[in-house]
Amino acid sequence: MIDRSLPPLLSVRGLEKHFPLGQGMLGRAVRHVKAVDGVDFAIWRGETLGLVGESGCGKSTTGRAVLRLLEPTAGEVHYDGMDVRALDRESLRAFRRRAQFVFQDPFGSLNPRLSVGAMLEEVLEVHGLGGANRRDRAVELLELVGLRPEHIDRYPHEFSGGQRQRLGVARALSVEPEFLVLDEPVSALDVSVQAQVVNLLEDLQAELGLTYLFIAHDLALVEHVSDRVAVMYLGRIVEIADAANLYREPRHPYTRALLSAVPRPDPVGREQRERIVLQGDVPSAVDPPMGCPFHPRCPHPAKDDVCGSVRPLLEGDPGGHLAACHYQPSGVETST
Amino acid sequence: MRKVLILGVASLTAGCGGEGGQRTASNDPFCQAVLPAVEAFMAESRARNPTPDDPRYGGTLVIGSIGELADGMNAAISTDYSTTQHQQFVNLMTLIDYDPEGNARPYLAESWDVAPDGTEITFHLRRDVFWHDGEQTDAYDVAFTYETVTDPLTAYPNAAFWDNYVKGPNGVAVVDDFTVVIRLEPHAEFLDPFRSAAILPEHLLGDVPRDQLRVHPYGTQCPVGNGPFVFAEHRPQDRWLFEANPAFPDALGGRPFVDRYVYRIIPEQTTLLTELLTENIDVYISPGPDQAQTIIDNPNLELRSYPFRNYILVGWNSRRPQLADARVRRAITMGTNRAEIVEAILRGYGTVAHTGVPAFHFAHSPEALPRLRYDPERARALLDEAGWRDRDGDGVRESADGTRLSFSIKYNTGNQQRQDIAEIMQSQLAAIGVEAQPQVVEWATLLQQINTPELRDFDGVIIGWVAEFKVDDTDLFHSERIDQPYAWSGTQNPEIDRLLDAISITVDRSEATNLWLEYQRVLIEEQPYTYFYFPDRLDGVNRRVVDVVMDARGEWVNIKDWYLDPSSR
Amino acid sequence: MTKYLARRLLGAIPLVIGIATIVFFAVNLAPGDPTLRFLAPGMNQEVIEQMRANFGLDQPMHIRYVKWLGAMLTGDFGYSFSHSRPVLAVLRDFVPNTLVLSAVALVVAFVLGVLLGTIQAVRQYSKVDSGLSVVLLFFYSMPSFWLALMLILTLSLFARNVWELPIWFPASGMVSTDYEFLSFGAQLRDRFMHLVLPTLSLALVLTAGIARYMRGSMLEVIRQDYIRTAHAKGLSERVVVFKHALRNALIPIITLVGLYIPVLFSGTVFIEYVFAWPGMGRTIYEAILTRDYPLVMAGSFFFAAMVVVANLIADVLYAIVDPRIRYE
Amino acid sequence: MSAESAPALLSVRDLRTWFFTDQGVAKAVDGVSFDVRAGETLGIVGESGCGKTVTSLSVLGLLPQPPARVMEGSSVRLRGEELIGSGERRMRALRGNEISMIFQEPMSSLNPVYKIGGQIAESLRLHRGMDRKAARAEAVRLLAEVGLSEPERRVDEYPHQLSGGMRQRVMIAMALSCEPSLLIADEPTTALDVTVQAQILELLAELRGKFGMAVLLITHDLGVVAEVCDRVVVMYAGQIVETGTVYDIFGEPAHPYTRGLLDSLPSVEDPGKRLDSIPGTVPNPIDWPTGCRFRARCPLATEGCELPQDLVELGEEGRTARCWRAPSLVATGAAT
Amino acid sequence: MSSDVGSLVVEHHQGTSRGGRLLSAILPGLPQLLAGRWGVGSAALLTWVGLLWIVVARPSRVASALGGAWDEQLAVGTLVVGLSTAWLWSWRDVAAAHEVKRVGVSVWELAVRAFSKNRTAVAGLLVIVGLYVIALLTPLVAPYDPAFQGDLLRERYVSASAAHPLGTDQFARDVLSRLLYGARISLLIGFVAVSISVTIGTLLGAIAGFLGGIVDGVIMRFVDMVISFPRLVLLITIIALFEPSIFLITAVLGLTLWPGTARIVRGEVLSLREREFVQAATALGFSKTRIILRHLIPNALGPVIVAATLGIGNTIVLEAGLSFLGLGVQPPTPSWGTMVADGRNVLLNAWWLSTFPGLAIVFTVLSFNLVGDGLRDALDPRLRS
């Protein structure tokens, strides 16, 4: 089980990723989209950290930057004691055998020209895995993700969305990793199929002892799969806590609004339900607001000038419920 | 937005070239200065010499041709055939010209005297010839022209005309305003240069540095001539427009009949033919033999054909071992059915050539010469005799040391007739065991390959010459010129040297005729070239143009006498 | 926008110089030189050397290159050997003619192409669609000089002499020889008549390409959600196609303006030759053959510059048609 | 609500819309019947490919024909007037006037090259015969109505200058411009973030009350259905499998498919509980299974399911299910 | 709409009996024709009958070609391969008709199916294949040696007759034979030039697109330069100034065409680079070379194939244009372009000289364009309805 007394498998500090926007007179970028703007978190071996937020909040970029699919602009990423950002070409390749990525779009994440077998065998070949019987190993992988051996000669377009997502998982698992970044792995799928894939992921985690960073926008789903949950807003984590705590006692006004906005599949008492409807839209990440990024939309009654000028730190109980708000409900100690 | 765009185009269309009308004012300062004078003099002359009341006067004559009048009316820099014709007969005047028999007759020069020792010619000029800006044409113009064309700085391409003349300050002397003396070494056909080089206006060009003449606006932007037609407009690559000169001397026929004469440049022959057939042009200069029938078939048109001054030849590089032996060269000539080729390629519009002496030349008498007729049997025998036999049975003869009788025949790109000759020769020579490979080379490259004395990178080359009235083969075959560009064949024959030297100084024609005949006999024996044919000149002319004379002297000889059938105007 | 355009123009300078440089060396490295045009019997080596000197060809190539580049940057293109005039004056004679021809052809091709492409897209897979495709491709597949000759034979020669139609088009030139004596209206008509065959020959070839792109672009656009929105508003097919779809479908077509300008200029070489149109295409071709280096280089420079300008125009059109684009 | 007694505003009977493709005939909608009564909100819910969107587009005649064809015998009546075969001119008069529609992708549903004011005014000028000035003033008023700040300025903006939520508001303004009696909303919030979704749903509810129009809401999100609908139609494989009030459907689902869908969602009460997924995938519309189309995936399938199924009436009016076992399932109240 | 379409498509062949096999043994293609598969059926039948006709009508030519020059041997080889392919294919097709194979269907196969539905495009393809086959068979098919000159005085400019189906030219040579030999030159130039350009263009475009940065900048500036200059002027400049050999023309055509391909490939690669499967390849630790060669180029190939098809057509037209300017393939080698250009001056009295090669160009290029268009539709799912 999860042992938090050990050092975390992955720890991220001050991670930033800025994308240049347009070009100036001399070809130098004048403005940047601050997609990820100072993110800290840690994941322990065997756990699932859920990362939620609305579109454009930087959760996907965070996932990619952690695995260096995108080069971070700043910050530290340590994986099992290694400095991920300092890896050279060879050690990066070794790192990628240990940490893998599953993509959101089941249509775009598979090379349409390669059959399933060719795709899996290629990975095995590149990493020198599977010995002489790479095809057998490929079949094994298919079975592992609940597909049939005869699927091996088919092409991606011959599969349904759910099956394709299974293929994505199989491909990630082919290098026998211990850590997976799952980027919205089920959001493109129908409800009934979503449940299949979620169950598969949970089974695999149990079976293979995997660690997940689970990125999604569906709050109910994240609650279902995660041990801990981090909520992102405008490139920053605004709240992070054990799943149960976060959903029961959200501390950040954004988290609260988010939770209240989720439609519930239960019409009973819907008229009485209290819902916090936020005003306006998420501000631009090119020019995020001063202070608390959420303050322009914040419905908190105590909102004041401080919110507009001082950036709140992620703080809270030592037990692990942290929020970045100047006005957290319970009197919490300030942790530096 | 769209409206603006279309309007913009429309105004562009309407705007450019709209200047129309009279002499185009080039913004060059020289032209700005000169053209008003022309305008004024013409207006004055028109008033003085009103157009006679004769139905033959009037109308616009249009001639179409594939080429631009390169370098324009500046006679000191141009060599192009059509251009020189315009200088001689349209815009400028020469001292003398030729009658249809090729005898010199007065033109700008009223008369001339030749010193008994043949070292001086004195020209007496007409006094009624005026430059189109009103200045009188006088002896200073003649002297200026002579000095200019003989000055190396000018780099006059035809400077060789003047090889036997005295160059520098002693070459010419102005006796009075209308009398000028030219000094020379005695030689044959000494009058010919004065027929070919037109006189230029000294008062306009006298101050121009000679090496700058080429870029002077006179030639193409505002030539001021003294001939029967006045320059009015030149749109490069499109047309030249000339107008009748009302001040042209009555003694020489007065103003031309047509009001305006347009020379149009149409590079594509099919287009030209269409324009002739749709009567957009009156004369089509030199259509191809293949187009002749279409012209003949049209009742409104007339095909004119006449012997001309050019001939086509295959020059052999005798420096090559395969071609060093004159017997081989004669065999090649005999193995080629030139009569058939004339019939086939020229559709009969031409005559087989045996030497480079054309029909208009006084020494032209092929019947007095031995001729190498098509005779494959004799050709084979000759080759056998020369030691070329097919020793390995591959159909191609070899010499004793194993050299194959195989060579290339080069010709330039884009010339259908030469290509045809090469292909037919290839096919016919194969029958006598000679392998000839046609090889096409871009024109400038070809000239470099054959003309560069150190290079001479060719075996056989198909090329054409336009002969002047004065025929002189010295540059081609005289062994003294072996290092000069045109000694393609590398001929070194003392007999030829002797005869060429003699011909060049023999003034008397009957004496010269004998020398010419002797020379041609040697030449046929030597066969430095396989002479192919003298093509006839063809011209398509609309029948509404009357009194047209076209002969070896050229198309424009009597253009001032042409008139347009009044009913067609 | 102005700043953007200025930057684009600056960025185009190396491109234009690069092209002119390639052409300079291609022309200069080739065998032969301009003096060869003056072949005449007895022309000896000295005359040729003097002529070279008069042309300024007596210096080594790299020095000529530096001189030429320097002069060009100050706007001095030198003298044309074959026209015996400053190159700029030669350009001034020919460039407007080529521009008229290609501009009209471009407009005709675009109007036709856009219209036909739209029709094809709206009637996808119908007989009209495939019929138009084949007809347009037929013209597209013809060598343009061949098409030009065919047009001359049919619309000029046969129309006048054989079929004796009331209307036939002149086969060459920009105006008739009696142009100066015509009334203004007749002059306009005369110019139009002379434009018809050359522009048709140039435009028909392009039309197929434009129609093809337009069809594709239109097909993509009419599948867009906002077209469905327009239908859902109750707009008629005509309004939906010509108001909502056309403008969007035109956006990618604008890029073709820039792409087709070089193609068009290539075409002018043939068309100007066949129709005796005194323009740049024919002039540069003849300049190459006569090795008129300064003119070849200046002509190349002009072509490259026109392409740059056309691309800029395309960019401006882009911004006009597509509000999403703002150049900064 | 007195919905039951009101006459049907829109009455769809035996609607069959088939697509004739190269691969075969896809029976996307295959015999669908339902009523929308004045003023009510009817939800059509189902997974992708079930035919819900095709149904809505068929009502307005917006499907490209070919390849689509509305088959003989289908009937769509608006206040008793038959729309199938009524002619393009008549349909155009109704579209955007009596019936208007909003779509899933607010990003792409507005024409990018025209100002939003013009796009709204277009409807007004067409159906209301307003002149340019009046239409513009009305557009400003409508933009204010849908809660867009600074409507005077917004009216001259282009779609790309607006956020997704704002664009959906513009779409709504456009749809409401002629005060339609029926609004078809096809997945109006699917592409939006939860907080914006909440805004839009609230706006729709508010406007519906104000204009008294009926809404046909098409969605795959059971939560949204539960929040806003009065009655629900569940579709599967081109057919309706269950109808009823929102309370019936969520409280006592009668069809095994409906149940499966609800069970696939993470439970609110017990987030950690393993999900119950529906096995398999949606069948191919070119080749629907015979008999009960859900049979292959149904946990309760037995003998008898291979026969074609009809909608079975269950007690109250408007409560039906396409399952021969439904009455007994409802009676036993077996909610697994 | 359907998620599982690809695998459901099943070959429905008419099951055939022993009769079908017998028929196939005699006339390959006939059983397929009878089954209504006119495309493949007529192709097989035409190949069979056509090639057999050569053997029957020209036995001596075939025999002598066996020991002849390399192109003659190639022709015999083509003959043998063509005959056996048609026969074997039909036989196996008939025999295997009832077997239904059920393996994965790749995107290429889907494109082939989409393409084969496009009748005009298939017709174009058949024409092209036919042309290439005829070009290979020319030594056996052509009635005369293309350089053979008849009687110059009597057989020049003879219009169509039994002896010369398309008439004769100015040397009394057979136009049909020259047209057939010309096909070889024109098709070869088109094919080789485009191969050169596609290879260079694809590699450089993929490298520029994937690596980006300075490499991209340098390559694309060069591409801009070449692309924004009228290609013909560049061609004329180079060809006019040096000797216009087939080799030079082909090379120069090829070397000036690639920037277009490079631009297309770069554009494709730029968009592919953002696709998740390419990111997945990076995440799996694949090398850049592998990603470019195995994951990017194959996926960018669709538009390249289209461009190549259209490019061949373009090149043939361009070669004709060069011939018009006297810069094309030089005589006596017959290329269509040269034939059209040479014959144009006699259009009014010997129209066949220039018209037949002209039509040959038009129809060949038209075929290439139709195929290109068909491919574009087949390979670009966005244009399908």
Side-chain angles (χ1 to χ4, degrees), chain C residues 64-76:
Chain C
R64 295 208 315 265
Y65 174 69
V66 172
K67 273 191 164 173
W68 162 75
L69 199 63
M72 198 188 73
L73 291 179
T74 59
D76 172 14

Side-chain angles (χ1 to χ4, degrees), chain B residues 134-135 205 257 306 326 435 448 501-502 509 539:
Chain B
E135 287 277 333
L205 297 174
F257 287 119
Y306 46 94
E435 184 178 71
Q448 193 185 33
D501 288 342
R509 280 199 171 171
D539 288 294

Side-chain angles (χ1 to χ4, degrees), chain A residues 289-303:
Chain A
M290 292 281 288
C292 173
F294 186 59
H295 85 265
R297 302 171 75 199
C298 185
H300 198 285
K303 180 166 84 165

